[in-house]
Every structure is written in structure tokens, then in C-alpha cells.
């Protein structure tokens, strides 16, 4: 199963050149823990954003998600990518088993905020959202802004707690 998953990830990240499907032909029903740390996800890059979204939204039994961000972009992120999550149709997605999501090296880039918004809206059993902020990029004001914005997002789970922590390398 793990091999299936890793090959899938590599297939997506390496070979798909902008033609990533929004849905997989079959769901990843066995996947309980999605650990995407170390894969250098750059949410300002379409292929990375779409593959992360594809994995999450194709895993209906997922309980835990861990993801680490690593934006090494030098060029500006296009408006199309910034608004990508808004323009996808995820009305069919529910993450009925998701309890914990941990996101490392977070900053307030719109696509990252939208990703959290999507997770909060789709996860009725969610207990904990742990956001590890990159302090080199986000100062105390940025931190407050992120929290203020996040607590306004509609939540499918009344018990979902958002905690903001420091990301230490
Ligand atoms: C954290 O993100 C920044 C840019 O957003 C990147 O330069 C850095 O390499 C990342 N650090 C780790 C440990 O992934």
C-alpha cells in the first residue's frame, strides 16, 4: 500500500505536466495516515498544490495528515494559482475520519490558508489543526492575522481546535 502511494506521489510530482486530474479513478480507501513531510510541497506551484489536494480529497478514510511546506519560488505566484482552490469543485468531498492535521513551515500564502479552510469545511470529526509557523517569514502580527482569519472559517466539526506553534528546524 505504501509503495502504491509513494509511486502515485512520484508519478504525480514527476511526470504529470500540468494535467493532473481532480479525482483519481479509484479512492485511496486504505490510506489512514498521509505523511507528506520531506516531499517539499510548494503551494505556489500548480503541480504541487494539485497533487496535495488530489491525495487528500481521494482518501476518504484518512485520519491524520502531516504536510511540510517548502516554497523555494523565485518568481511571483500567478493569480490563477492563488485562486485555484476557489475554482475547484470539492462539493463531493468529505473527510469523515480526519482527526488531526499538522502543517509545518506554514505562512499566510493564500493557497495555504485556502487549504486549511477546505479541510475545516470538510472534516466533521476534526479535533486538532496544528499549524507550525515559519518565524523567519511570519512575525507576530502575521501570526495574529492568520489566527484571526482561520477562526472565522466555517468548521464542519465544532470540536476542531486550531493551535499555532513555532516551526523549529
Ligand atoms: C520553509 O519555507 C521557506 C520558504 O517559505 C523555505 O525557504 C525553507 O527552506 C523551508 N524550510 C524547511 C525546513 O522546509
Amino acid at each position: 500500500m505504501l509503495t502504491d502511494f509513494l509511486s502515485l506521489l512520484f508519478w504525480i510530482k514527476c511526470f504529470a505536466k500540468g494535467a493532473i486530474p481532480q479525482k483519481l479513478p479509484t479512492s485511496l480507501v486504505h490510506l489512514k495516515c498521509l505523511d507528506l513531510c520531506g516531499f517539499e510541497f510548494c503551494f505556489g506551484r500548480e503541480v504541487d498544490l494539485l497533487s496535495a489536494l488530489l491525495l487528500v480529497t481521494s482518501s476518504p478514510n484518512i485520519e491524520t495528515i502531516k504536510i511540510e511546506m517548502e516554497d523555494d519560488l523565485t518568481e511571483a505566484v500567478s493569480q490563477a494559482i492563488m485562486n485555484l482552490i476557489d475554482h475547484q469543485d470539492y462539493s463531493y468531498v468529505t473527510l469523515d475520519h480526519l482527526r488531526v492535521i499538522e502543517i509545518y513551515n506554514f505562512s499566510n500564502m493564500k493557497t495555504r490558508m485556502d487549504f486549511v479552510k477546505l479541510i475545516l469545511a470538510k472534516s466533521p470529526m476534526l479535533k486538532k489543526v496544528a499549524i507550525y509557523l515559519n518565524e523567519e517569514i511570519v512575525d507576530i502580527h502575521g501570526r495574529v492575522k492568520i489566527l484571526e482569519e482561520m477562526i472565522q472559517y466555517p468548521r464542519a466539526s465544532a470540536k476542531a481546535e486550531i493551535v499555532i506553534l513555532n516551526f523549529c528546524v
Side-chain angles (χ1 to χ4, degrees):
M1 254 165 349
L2 183 66
T3 343
D4 287 354
F5 162 61
L6 289 179
S7 51
L8 177 73
L9 186 66
F10 282 108
W11 175 78
I12 292 167
K13 277 203 75 168
C14 305
F15 303 110
K17 295 227 185 321
I20 297 184
Q22 192 184 326
K23 274 189 197 182
L24 288 176
T26 53
S27 297
L28 306 169
V29 288
H30 299 291
L31 199 63
K32 297 246 158 95
C33 175
L34 186 61
D35 186 348
L36 298 175
C37 293
F39 285 101
E40 301 185 357
F41 273 93
C42 170
F43 272 30
R45 196 179 290 130
E46 191 178 21
V47 64
D48 285 24
L49 182 57
L50 283 174
S51 38
L53 286 163
L54 181 63
L55 286 169
V56 169
T57 59
S58 302
S59 306
N61 295 319
I62 198 90
E63 292 171 8
T64 315
I65 299 171
K66 290 184 192 178
I67 183 163
E68 183 178 347
M69 305 284 164
E70 161 122 46
D71 280 82
D72 53 1
L73 287 178
T74 42
E75 73 271 28
V77 177
S78 76
Q79 210 56 37
I81 294 177
M82 283 299 187
N83 296 324
L84 188 144
I85 297 182
D86 294 334
H87 293 144
Q88 298 274 99
D89 175 16
Y90 288 122
S91 51
Y92 61 93
V93 175
T94 48
L95 302 170
D96 283 330
H97 302 271
L98 185 66
R99 286 168 183 279
V100 178
I101 175 162
E102 295 174 7
I103 308 181
Y104 296 88
N105 205 18
F106 195 85
S107 70
N108 66 341
M109 181 191 269
K110 183 174 185 299
T111 47
R112 298 177 181 187
M113 296 296 287
D114 287 351
F115 181 73
V116 174
K117 191 178 189 175
L118 181 71
I119 298 283
L120 284 169
K122 296 295 183 183
S123 314
M125 297 304 286
L126 193 64
K127 292 230 168 359
K128 189 165 185 182
V129 180
I131 306 278
Y132 292 81
L133 285 185
N134 183 332
E135 283 186 291
E136 282 168 24
I137 299 170
V138 187
D139 64 10
I140 184 74
H141 301 288
R143 193 183 178 110
V144 171
K145 269 189 80 176
I146 288 174
L147 194 57
E148 274 179 353
E149 194 173 326
M150 272 185 192
I151 57 174
Q152 291 182 36
Y153 293 158
R155 297 180 206 183
S157 164
K159 289 190 176 152
E161 178 194 11
I162 300 172
V163 289
I164 306 247
L165 302 148
N166 293 331
F167 175 65
C168 311
V169 187

